[in-house]
Amino acid sequence: MNHVDYLRISLIDRCNFRCQYCMPEGAELDYILKQQLLTDKELLTLIKEVFIPVGFTRFRLTGGEPLLRPHVVHLVEEIASLPQTQDLSMTTNGFLLAPIAQSLYDAGLRRINISLDSLEPDTFDQIIGNHGRGRWQQVWDSIQVAYNVGFDPLKLNVVVIPGVNDHEITNLAALTIDKQWHVRFIEFMPIGNAHLFSDRGWIPSQEIRQLIRERWGLTESQVRGNGPADVFKIPGAKGTLGFISQMSECFCDRCNRMRLSADGWLRPCLLNETGQIDFKTALRCGVSTASLQEQVRRLLAIKPEINFKQRDKGNTEGVYTRTMSQIGG
Ligand code: SAM
Ligand code: SF4
C-alpha cells in the first residue's frame, strides 16, 4: 500500500482566468461563498491537529488561483514554519506572482509550479478565456521574477490541447535547454467540461515525447519528483521535461495524495469522492480534532479501493461533477 503523506490544499475556488479546460462559462455563479470557505484559523487547525498527527508532511497550495486568497503569505509562513512540514509548494497561474514572489520565498515557499500553456500571447488569451486579453506578458514576467528570486525547482505546467497549443510542444520543451526550468506536459482531462474538447480528444504523452525525441533526442532523467510525472531530459539541457499521463496510464496504484477543498471537504481521489469528509461542518459543530484524526485514518485505510479505475468500471456513486478549479487541481 502506498504511503499517503501529501495533501493538496485548495485555498480558494475563485480564479482570475477562465481556462477553457478548467473553468466553464458561468462557473463564477457557483463560487463558494466567503463564509463557506475554511478560515485561516480552521485551515491551520486542520493541518496542525489533524493532518500532521496522522502522517501528512508535504503540502501543496492550489486553487482556483491560490494568490487570490487573502493573507496567502501569512498562511505560507505558518505552514512552512511547522517542524513537521517536509515540503511546501504552490501551483499558480502566475498572474499576481511577481510583486509577492520574494515575500512568498521569505515566508518559506521554495517550490512553485506556474501554468504556461503557450508562448504565443494570442493563443494564451484564447486558452485563458475572454477575461484574459494581454495577460501573457505579465505571467512571463512573473516566471522570470520567480526564477531570479530562487524558486527551485521552477516548474511550468502545460496542458496540451489538440488544435490549440500542440504546435508549440517543441518550443515549450526548448525552454529547458538553457534554463534550469522543468516543463511538464499534462494530458488534457475531460473533467467537468468534457463537451468543450470532446471532438478533439487529447494527446497521449507518448506522442508528445516522440515529437521532442525526433527533434533533439530524449533521455530518461534520474530526477524523480513527489508526484506522478515521468521525467526526461533533452541531452545536455539544464532543465527537465515531465509527462503527466493520467489519461493514458493509470497511476492510481502509486497515488500518495489526498485533496482538501477550499470549503473543507477532504477528498481521497481526484475523480472519486467516495468517503469524503466535511471538515468545515465538523469543526464548526465542535467535533474534536481527535475524532477527525480517526476519520482520516479510516479514509486512508479504504483509499486504495477509491480510484480512477473504479470510476471507469461505471461506479458513478460519488463521482465528481466538479471542475478542476473547484476540486483544487
Ligand atoms: N490556478 C492555478 C494554475 O492554473 O496553475 C492552480 C489551479 S489549476 C486547477 C492546477 C492545474 O490543473 C493547472 O496546471 C492546470 O493546467 C491543471 N488543469 C486544470 N484543468 C485541467 C484539465 N481539464 N486537464 C488537465 N489539467 C488541468
Ligand atoms: Fe484558473 Fe488555474 Fe483553472 Fe486556469 S487552470 S482557470 S488559472 S484555476
Side-chain angles (χ1 to χ4, degrees):
M1 193 165 101
N2 258 329
H3 184 48
V4 179
D5 61 356
Y6 176 38
L7 186 68
R8 293 178 74 99
I9 301 170
S10 173
L11 293 182
I12 192 162
D13 62 332
R14 284 168 197 267
C15 190
N16 40 6
F17 288 2
R18 294 286 177 281
C19 300
Q20 295 180 45
Y21 50 71
C22 175
M23 201 182 252
E25 284 291 307
E28 49 276 71
L29 300 175
D30 291 329
Y31 276 155
I32 300 168
L33 298 174
K34 194 166 171 247
Q35 60 271 31
Q36 300 297 330
L37 291 176
L38 287 176
T39 63
D40 293 356
K41 186 163 177 281
E42 287 167 340
L43 177 57
L44 292 169
T45 300
L46 287 175
I47 293 174
K48 288 182 208 170
E49 297 179 29
V50 179
F51 290 111
I52 286 178
V54 303
F56 286 85
T57 55
R58 298 180 295 141
F59 305 99
R60 175 171 293 275
L61 305 178
T62 178
E65 176 43 43
L67 297 183
L68 289 176
R69 170 93 186 201
H71 319 130
V72 64
V73 175
H74 167 72
L75 281 172
V76 164
E77 193 168 19
E78 290 284 330
I79 302 170
S81 65
L82 298 171
Q84 299 90 342
T85 299
Q86 285 178 11
D87 185 44
L88 177 64
S89 55
M90 178 183 281
T91 303
T92 169
N93 63 31
F95 187 65
L96 299 173
L97 180 61
I100 58 165
Q102 187 68 57
S103 309
L104 287 168
Y105 190 88
D106 295 343
L109 189 70
R110 289 291 179 274
R111 303 200 309 111
I112 202 157
N113 291 21
I114 303 175
S115 294
L116 182 77
D117 295 327
S118 175
L119 293 171
E120 301 169 355
D122 288 345
T123 308
F124 187 80
D125 286 349
Q126 186 197 341
I127 293 170
I128 72 167
N130 295 335
H131 303 253
R133 297 283 161 260
R135 294 191 165 199
W136 181 86
Q137 189 64 49
Q138 191 161 325
V139 171
W140 183 249
D141 291 346
S142 283
I143 292 169
Q144 315 298 325
V145 171
Y147 185 56
N148 292 333
V149 160
F151 285 101
D152 185 21
L154 177 71
K155 295 186 181 174
L156 302 180
N157 285 353
V158 181
V159 177
V160 180
I161 313 164
V164 178
N165 65 351
D166 54 332
H167 61 287
E168 294 189 66
I169 288 171
T170 48
N171 289 346
L172 285 154
L175 295 175
T176 63
I177 294 176
D178 295 329
K179 292 222 163 67
Q180 215 188 328
W181 293 353
H182 304 271
V183 173
R184 295 152 26 109
F185 293 99
I186 303 172
E187 288 175 349
F188 164 66
M189 258 192 296
I191 169 175
N193 57 353
H195 63 285
L196 276 175
F197 294 108
S198 52
D199 54 335
R200 297 178 178 164
W202 49 275
I203 302 183
S205 294
Q206 237 182 347
E207 270 182 42
I208 302 173
R209 277 200 291 273
Q210 189 52 26
L211 277 172
I212 300 170
R213 192 175 282 120
E214 280 165 13
R215 175 80 179 270
W216 294 285
L218 205 53
T219 52
E220 219 159 320
S221 166
Q222 301 306 315
V223 182
R224 271 213 74 89
N226 286 330
D230 294 316
V231 187
F232 290 78
K233 221 172 165 38
I234 293 172
K238 291 188 175 155
T240 60
L241 294 166
F243 297 87
I244 304 181
S245 318
Q246 71 285 358
M247 296 294 290
S248 57
E249 293 163 28
C250 179
F251 42 67
C252 297
D253 293 344
R254 37 180 173 124
C255 180
N256 58 359
R257 62 199 55 198
M258 288 207 192
R259 293 178 150 82
L260 183 67
S261 71
D263 56 351
W265 286 88
L266 180 68
R267 297 158 192 274
C269 166
L270 181 63
L271 291 184
N272 189 329
E273 57 193 17
T274 306
Q276 61 179 328
I277 304 169
D278 177 2
F279 278 127
K280 178 186 64 240
T281 305
L283 280 179
R284 292 182 190 179
C285 290
V287 176
S288 72
T289 51
S291 152
L292 292 176
Q293 284 176 23
E294 211 32 58
Q295 291 185 42
V296 179
R297 285 196 185 96
R298 279 203 293 270
L299 190 54
L300 283 168
I302 61 166
K303 179 168 159 55
E305 311 304 321
I306 304 171
N307 52 36
F308 285 24
K309 280 187 271 184
Q310 197 183 25
R311 178 182 189 249
D312 289 341
K313 281 182 193 148
N315 176 0
T316 50
E317 188 198 341
V319 165
Y320 285 113
T321 49
R322 288 186 167 201
T323 61
M324 283 292 265
S325 62
Q326 291 167 320
I327 299 164

